[in-house]
């Protein structure tokens, strides 16, 4: 209802505005042509859709769309089996029950099967036709559950994206790598930072970490020239530069698969020993050796320390603790004590004397400086 106070719509006799129902006026003034009139008189449908369309759900495990009344208890909604059934989950079930279904793509399923909204299940189509509509997803035939979608050639990958990459559905990052390689030839590392961040924001990179690994050394060259040690310090400096650019576009390092950005530190104030420790990096080969190693000795040593700390380790006279034989170096004689320690800690010292990694990974700790002098001499 619309109230009009225009002078042409004003009742001067009653001194009040006239209420005009524009909707009613429109309906009453509607003109129906002869074809429309006879069509309605004969009861024909005024509209239709051919072929029929079935909307197919695409969702992650247990993340399907559920419609419910706001007055219903949410726990009941979650527990209801009906809400667990979708066109996708029932597609998986049909692939288990019907061998013919395994030859069909999900998008083609409505052509051969009918979706019953009441029972929320698929059944074979007897007549008619229908097409499926769904969000963009790469085709996989015959999957029986979500885990099978992530499995390629017998290997189950942690994410659907990795599975799609292994199936060849996603483009690789060759074009981005070629772009960066070209820029490396005539631009400084700081320009590489800008380019890399630009690709993160506006590109569609499938494997950010791989692109980072392939180009990190080039992006860190400036910091190497400044004397910043290799390893975590250079990584953090590059990440800081990238993050400052990303923030201009409402992004941060945490939005991408990149190393963690730590709180910014002033490396000029760090002691040299800490700089050396931060610069140390473990190679993948070393990590593999650790993963394959037998940790029984480390576990036994840890338990031994816990027993000492809790006071449950047996003691001998004067509350002394007996050290296990595997933790004790027994010299041939008292005069050979220092050489025995050196031979155990630094085996083949003459052969590896110039190997800095061999030297820096080992140390002999002594309580007195006199002992240090004696060992060094």
């Amino acid at each position: 209802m619309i109230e009009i106070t225009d002078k042409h719509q004003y009742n001067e006799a009653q001194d009040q505005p006239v209420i005009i129902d524009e909707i009613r006026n429109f309906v009453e003034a509607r003109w129906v042509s002869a074809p429309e009139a006879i069509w309605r008189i004969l009861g024909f449908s005024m509209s239709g859709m051919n072929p029929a369309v079935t909307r197919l759900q695409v969702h992650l495990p247990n993340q399907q769309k559920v419609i419910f009344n706001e007055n219903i208890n949410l726990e009941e909604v979650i527990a209801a089996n009906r809400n667990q059934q979708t066109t996708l989950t029932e597609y998986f079930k049909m692939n288990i029950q019907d061998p013919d279904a395994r030859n069909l793509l999900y998008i083609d399923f409505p052509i051969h099967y009918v979706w019953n909204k009441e029972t929320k299940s698929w059944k074979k189509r007897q007549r008619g036709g229908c097409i499926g509509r769904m969000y963009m997803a790469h085709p996989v035939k015959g999957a029986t559950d979500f885990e099978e979608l992530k499995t390629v050639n017998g290997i189950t990958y942690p994410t659907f994206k990795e599975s799609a990459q292994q199936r060849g559905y996603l483009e690789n990052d060759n074009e981005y790598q070629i772009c960066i390689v070209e820029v490396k030839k005539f631009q400084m590392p700081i320009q590489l930072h800008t380019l890399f961040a630009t690709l993160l924001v506006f590109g569609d990179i499938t494997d950010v970490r791989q692109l980072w690994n392939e180009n990190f050394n080039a992006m860190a060259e400036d910091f190497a020239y400044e004397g910043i040690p290799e390893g975590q310090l250079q990584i953090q400096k590059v990440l800081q530069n990238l993050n400052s650019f990303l923030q201009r576009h409402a992004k941060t390092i945490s939005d991408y698969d990149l190393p963690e950005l730590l709180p910014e530190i002033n490396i000029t104030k760090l002691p040299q020993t800490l700089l050396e420790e931060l610069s140390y990096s473990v190679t993948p080969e070393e990590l593999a050796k650790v993963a394959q190693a037998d940790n029984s000795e480390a576990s036994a040593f840890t338990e031994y320390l816990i027993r000492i700390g809790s006071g449950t380790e047996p003691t001998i006279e004067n509350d002394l603790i007996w050290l296990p034989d595997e933790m004790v170096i027994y010299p041939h004689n008292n005069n050979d004590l220092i050489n025995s320690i050196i031979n155990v800690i630094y085996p083949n010292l003459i052969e590896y004397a110039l190997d800095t990694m061999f030297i820096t990974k080992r140390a002999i700790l002594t309580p007195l400086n006199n002992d240090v002098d004696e060992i060094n001499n």
Side-chain angles (χ1 to χ4, degrees):
M1 304 291 287
I2 301 177
E3 183 176 287
I4 305 297
T5 57
D6 185 85
K7 64 179 181 179
H8 299 292
Q9 304 293 332
Y10 195 82
N11 190 328
E12 296 181 357
Q14 299 181 3
D15 193 25
Q16 62 182 7
V18 177
I19 305 301
I20 299 176
D21 186 345
E22 291 189 350
I23 297 176
R24 182 179 180 84
N25 289 347
F26 173 81
V27 173
E28 291 180 347
R30 179 184 175 193
W31 179 75
V32 178
S33 65
E36 180 181 350
I38 192 63
W39 200 261
R40 290 184 177 277
I41 291 173
L42 296 177
F44 296 151
S45 298
M46 297 301 297
S47 63
M49 181 170 59
N50 185 48
V53 176
T54 296
R55 182 64 177 269
L56 301 174
Q57 283 201 47
V58 177
H59 58 83
L60 294 174
N62 297 320
Q63 295 188 28
Q64 63 268 28
K65 182 175 69 174
V66 177
I67 300 175
F68 58 92
N69 190 298
E70 62 180 354
N71 298 322
I72 298 179
N73 187 291
L74 288 180
E75 293 182 356
E76 296 179 1
V77 174
I78 296 174
N81 290 331
R82 177 180 176 81
N83 293 329
Q84 309 299 324
Q85 298 170 273
T86 68
T87 56
L88 181 58
T89 59
E90 298 309 299
Y91 162 76
F92 292 148
K93 291 181 181 179
M94 285 301 298
N95 284 330
I96 297 175
Q97 300 169 4
D98 188 350
D100 294 336
R102 296 185 65 88
N103 297 320
L104 300 174
L105 295 173
Y106 183 39
I107 187 66
D108 296 330
F109 222 64
I111 299 176
H112 304 276
Y113 292 82
V114 178
W115 175 249
N116 189 316
K117 293 183 179 180
E118 297 299 324
T119 62
K120 286 201 167 184
S121 61
W122 292 101
K123 66 176 182 179
K124 279 197 172 182
R125 181 176 295 279
Q126 303 297 325
R127 58 186 176 82
C130 182
I131 59 175
R133 285 291 179 266
M134 57 183 282
Y135 294 110
M136 176 60 183
H138 295 289
V140 177
K141 289 184 179 180
T144 58
D145 55 29
F146 288 104
E147 286 302 306
E148 188 169 340
L149 288 177
K150 294 192 291 186
T151 303
V152 183
N153 297 327
I155 302 175
T156 301
Y157 293 89
T159 65
F160 294 104
K161 181 178 181 179
E162 291 181 60
S163 170
Q165 287 176 333
Q166 294 300 320
R167 296 178 189 272
Y169 295 149
L170 300 181
E171 294 182 357
N172 56 39
D173 298 324
N174 286 345
E175 57 183 359
Y176 301 113
Q177 180 60 25
I178 293 173
C179 174
I180 295 176
V181 169
E182 290 181 354
V183 173
K184 287 180 186 178
K185 298 176 181 178
F186 57 88
Q187 293 289 356
M188 301 297 290
I190 188 63
Q191 278 76 38
L192 286 181
H193 298 170
T194 303
L195 173 61
F196 193 89
T198 302
L199 294 178
L200 291 178
V201 175
F202 300 105
D204 187 18
I205 302 174
T206 58
D207 193 340
V208 173
R209 182 58 69 94
Q210 179 65 24
L211 197 65
W212 160 272
N213 292 337
E214 291 176 351
N215 298 284
F216 168 74
N217 289 335
M219 292 191 290
E221 281 184 359
D222 275 1
F223 302 124
Y225 291 140
E226 293 174 6
I228 298 177
E230 294 181 0
Q232 190 61 233
L233 288 178
Q234 287 189 7
I235 292 174
Q236 290 302 312
K237 293 296 289 184
V238 175
L239 290 175
Q240 289 167 10
N241 281 4
L242 293 178
N243 196 57
S244 63
F245 181 89
L246 293 174
Q247 287 177 338
R248 304 174 198 170
H249 300 274
K251 300 285 187 179
T252 65
I253 288 294
S254 60
D255 295 326
Y256 304 95
D257 181 22
L258 290 170
E260 181 183 3
L261 178 61
L262 303 177
E264 189 169 354
I265 56 176
N266 187 350
I267 65 170
T268 60
K269 297 182 179 181
L270 294 178
Q272 184 61 30
T273 53
L274 183 55
L275 287 175
E276 293 175 355
E277 185 67 23
L278 289 173
S279 66
Y280 180 76
S281 59
V282 181
T283 65
E285 292 76 15
E286 290 174 322
L287 289 175
K289 290 180 180 178
V290 172
Q292 297 171 0
D294 183 3
N295 292 324
S296 58
E297 292 185 4
S299 177
F301 181 66
T302 301
E303 294 175 359
Y304 175 71
L305 294 180
I306 292 175
R307 291 198 302 271
I308 294 176
S310 61
T312 58
E313 178 67 16
T315 60
I316 54 179
E317 59 182 12
N318 298 325
D319 289 333
L320 297 178
I321 296 174
W322 186 267
L323 292 176
D325 289 343
E326 58 269 18
M327 296 176 58
V328 179
I329 299 174
Y330 292 99
H332 297 294
N333 55 68
N334 290 336
N335 296 328
D336 199 30
L337 178 60
I338 293 179
N339 287 332
S340 298
I341 295 176
I342 294 175
N343 290 335
V344 171
I345 305 301
Y346 296 96
N348 303 320
L349 179 58
I350 296 177
E351 180 181 351
Y352 294 102
L354 299 179
D355 188 340
T356 56
M357 294 299 293
F358 176 83
I359 299 298
T360 56
K361 286 185 176 180
R362 293 164 171 79
I364 298 176
L365 303 180
T366 65
L368 301 175
N369 289 335
N370 291 337
D371 296 331
V372 175
D373 294 336
E374 186 175 356
I375 292 175
N376 289 335
N377 294 328

